[in-house]
Amino acid sequence: MFFRNLTLFRFPTATDFSEVDTLLPQVLLKPVGPLEMSSRGFISPFGREEKAVFSHRVGDALWLTVGGEDKILPGAVVNDLLARKLEEIEEKEGRKPGGRERKRMKDDLLHELMPRAFVKSSRTDALVDLTHGFVAVDCSSSKKGENMMSDIRGLLGSFPAMPLNAEVAPRSILTGWIAGEPLPTGLSLGEECEMKDPAEGGAVVKCQHQELRCDEIDKHLDAGKQVTKLALVFEDNLSFVLGDDLIVRKLKFLDGALDQLEHADEDGRRAELDARFALQSGEVRRLFLLLEEAFKLSKAD
């Protein structure tokens, strides 16, 4: 259950989460209806089969999960059936339906097909750090992260969470690191980066499995390219790719972190998930505090 990406938001530490467990049963995921295309709501972090516990907390770290159900109804299928019906009308009645009639026919087809469409389930997990006032969403998309903030806002009634705001341009910091400027304590370069020419439509260079302090990279920097994604290692605990949007991608927990895990009891999966979440929340907090210092992240009001 380790997060693979971190889209980060800040919120005021005075925000009240004390009623979360009382409020969650009111906003749970409902099965998508026969004439609905999607449904969204909170589920238990321990899985949809859990019907009693809808959040999990270890110390000042809160784990919330939003589930979704989406109908899979490919547009090509609808358009193919519509084309057949239009052909039948033309053959039988000798006319071509107009735009308004075609739209009505397509809507009728959608209503006919929706109850039989396959349903795809999804989940999005979030770690809420109540002491330091940040949320880490397990996604690599700002839009998906914002959707989670909207869900928490709907749960609490209000939630003034904002994307990270760096006082120093992240691209300039990342470029400085790859150019040889000292990295924060505990942080080291990985073997992946992306560099872009800042000019509109400029060249993009992607490097993987590459020593990043080398003449080849220096030539790109001398040509004016700037780093937009950079692989980093935090001590021996985490590896990840940090973008100039401050989204953490390809997050992996390394042996230095995993060695801290105690063996779960024979009671099983719940104990293991609990231990993993405790480990994860501690490591993500340390990483957030490092990024906060390195990029001079603004505090939430």
Side-chain angles (χ1 to χ4, degrees), residues 54-255:
F54 300 109
S55 71
H56 185 59
R57 182 169 173 174
V58 174
D60 58 0
L62 177 66
W63 181 7
L64 296 173
T65 303
V66 168
E69 292 190 355
D70 295 279
K71 295 277 183 71
I72 301 175
L73 194 56
V77 173
V78 177
N79 291 335
D80 184 55
L81 289 174
L82 178 61
R84 292 182 192 179
K85 288 186 175 291
L86 292 171
E87 286 177 10
E88 290 176 7
I89 291 175
E90 190 170 352
E91 288 176 5
K92 292 179 181 179
E93 303 179 19
R95 66 182 183 86
K96 292 184 177 181
R100 184 174 298 179
E101 185 177 359
R102 290 165 64 98
K103 183 179 184 306
R104 179 184 58 76
M105 291 172 63
K106 187 171 184 178
D107 289 342
D108 290 343
L109 276 173
L110 287 171
H111 280 79
E112 179 185 334
L113 293 171
M114 275 197 294
R116 292 180 283 156
F118 289 107
V119 176
K120 180 182 178 181
S121 297
S122 62
R123 65 178 281 165
T124 304
D125 293 282
L127 187 167
V128 183
D129 190 302
L130 303 175
T131 296
H132 296 92
F134 73 87
V135 184
V137 185
D138 185 10
C139 68
S140 60
S141 158
S142 296
K143 182 177 179 181
K144 197 169 182 180
E146 290 284 3
N147 288 340
M148 174 61 86
M149 297 306 100
S150 295
D151 292 323
I152 298 176
R153 200 168 290 123
L155 170 68
L156 299 179
S158 67
F159 185 52
M162 298 293 292
L164 298 186
N165 180 33
E167 295 180 9
V168 183
R171 190 175 292 196
S172 68
I173 297 290
L174 297 177
T175 302
W177 288 348
I178 207 175
E181 292 181 8
L183 280 76
T185 302
L187 209 59
S188 59
L189 296 176
E191 296 183 334
E192 178 180 344
C193 75
E194 177 183 276
M195 294 179 286
K196 290 184 179 180
D197 189 317
E200 186 174 351
V204 178
V205 176
K206 296 182 180 181
C207 302
Q208 290 185 318
H209 312 297
Q210 161 110 29
E211 171 63 48
L212 298 183
R213 288 298 303 125
C214 64
D215 292 342
E216 182 182 350
I217 295 292
D218 288 343
K219 287 178 182 178
H220 287 298
L221 297 175
D222 290 341
K225 292 186 179 66
Q226 299 176 339
V227 177
T228 52
K229 291 180 182 177
L230 181 61
L232 297 161
V233 178
F234 183 33
E235 296 176 349
D236 289 322
N237 292 9
L238 301 174
S239 68
F240 56 95
V241 174
L242 182 63
D244 60 355
D245 53 6
L246 295 181
I247 293 178
V248 174
R249 298 174 173 89
K250 299 184 181 180
L251 178 65
K252 291 182 180 179
F253 288 74
L254 306 178
D255 289 344

